[in-house]
Amino acid sequence: MSTTAELIEVSERRSAHNYHPLPVVIHEARGAWVTDVEGKRYLDFLSGYSSLNFGHGNPKIIEAAQEQLKNLTLTSRAFYHDQFARFCAGLGDLTGKDMILPMNTGAEAVETAIKVARKWGYQVKGVQPEQANIIVMEDNFHGRTTTIVSFSTDPDARDDFGPYTPGFRVVKYGSVEAIREALDENTVAVLLEPIQGEAGVLVPPDGYLTQVRELCTAEGVLMIADEIQSGLGRTGRTFACDHENVVPDVYVLGKALGGGVVPVSAIAADQDVLGVIKPGQHGSTFGGNPLACAVGNAVIEILNTGEFQARAAELGDLLHARLRGMIGDGVVTVRGRGLWAGVDIDPSLATGREVSKALLARGVLAKDTHGSTIRLAPPIVISEEDLLWAVEQLADAIASFR
Ligand SMILES: *Cc1c(COP(=O)(O)O)cnc(C)c1O
């Protein structure tokens, strides 16, 4: 069992079909490049949905992980360990927040933010028992738990997984008026992605985040920014909220926080919010484990230099300029910020999946989101030359459908 065909056949026969992968079996990777089991190389333009912002096998991250593997990997939170303090203080400083609550996956961090917002609502805001509501956005993506899919508007994500968790109000993304109308005295939080990744890299109108911030402050409602995909350098700033100098009450982080090595997620908030959680009220056996914290510490150190944010901004400008140049040539629209783009292909030419397959054949790994949209998010370590080469492959792939 070693050829692409054999490995795919067994994978499909012996695993649930909750994903529909492109037909490539990856064996190793370095930087922005991966190699499959046949020895064929591909440029990674997905980065594990922005988990690999700092590249495959980033030397600083791998070294931190290897050092930690030798010393200590798990204690549970029943005890302290020597990587924890640095991780919490470091991530707190990066976000400008007093406190951190570490978890593992992104969905767990979103669940954590929801629980914290509800408890804050009852204990600090004075909402009547069981009455709290949270305002969320159409076309959101926050993960796959039963509570999170309860407020998804994607039928694939939601249908037949009920009964659903109540307490969420879905409004149009990008409209502060819609939030204002949905708000009442029992609203504890507004939960949003500052750029909607899975929806197709949707950037809200200029000023939207600022207005949401002002509304939340005026109404005594927590602003929760899910920066799991948008954060940690991807958009050319540390957080996508930074583009409007907006500071949410709660940051939700994941994906790249684990350096593409281990699942590491967290929420960051000030003491008046995160202080509502007391012993026994929330937790995770693996959350904040020594290996996760050591990797997270390397990631924070990398982000503290600002190099990756600057690189994503610079290469992002180049990427977007080239992509905009393709509008009219099979490309309908281009959205995004930094090294992150959603490209709508003319649907009369090809579906996003067909374009992804044509890119695969040309040595570029990218994935469609919905319909005829493909998402581009290369590791930020990518060279300018490779970036431009991949855009040429995209143009060529699209042209092949004419
Ligand atoms: C990926 C993602 C999540 C879920 O993270 P998992 O680690 O897959 O649970 C939540 N929110 C956003 C914005 C994401 O992109």
Side-chain angles (χ1 to χ4, degrees), residues 19 48-51 104-110 140-145 148 192-198 226-230 252 254-255 263-265 340 375:
Y19 285 90
Y49 303 94
S50 279
S51 301
N104 310 283
T105 66
E108 286 176 318
V110 171
N140 68 72
F141 183 82
H142 297 290
R144 301 293 196 172
T145 66
I148 292 170
L192 55 75
E193 297 154 85
I195 293 177
Q196 287 189 326
E198 298 304 300
D226 179 348
E227 293 253 18
I228 291 170
Q229 195 166 156
S230 59
V252 186
K255 292 205 166 102
V264 185
S265 71
W340 199 19
R375 164 204 357 226

Side-chain angles (χ1 to χ4, degrees), residues 193-276:
E193 297 154 85
I195 293 177
Q196 287 189 326
E198 298 304 300
V201 196
L202 301 187
V203 183
D206 281 346
Y208 173 67
L209 297 174
T210 308
Q211 287 176 298
V212 173
R213 173 67 280 179
E214 286 167 4
L215 182 63
C216 286
T217 303
E219 298 289 334
V221 167
L222 299 177
M223 178 179 181
I224 304 174
D226 179 348
E227 293 253 18
I228 291 170
Q229 195 166 156
S230 59
L232 310 185
R234 174 57 55 192
T235 67
R237 303 292 295 270
T238 304
F239 303 108
C241 284
D242 293 348
H243 290 278
E244 290 195 23
N245 295 317
V246 160
V247 179
D249 298 292
V250 181
Y251 285 101
V252 186
L253 302 172
K255 292 205 166 102
L257 191 56
V261 176
V262 280
V264 185
S265 71
I267 72 165
D270 280 336
Q271 147 74 32
D272 57 344
V273 175
L274 209 31
V276 299

Side-chain angles (χ1 to χ4, degrees), residues 298-342:
V299 166
I300 293 161
E301 214 168 88
I302 289 171
L303 285 166
N304 280 338
T305 69
E307 284 165 40
F308 277 77
Q309 295 89 323
R311 189 173 175 78
E314 193 183 317
L315 290 179
D317 284 345
L318 186 63
L319 174 68
H320 282 276
R322 293 297 167 108
L323 292 174
R324 277 196 303 272
M326 291 165 63
I327 292 174
D329 275 328
V331 169
V332 182
T333 14
V334 178
R335 294 172 301 273
R337 216 160 233 164
L339 219 38
W340 199 19

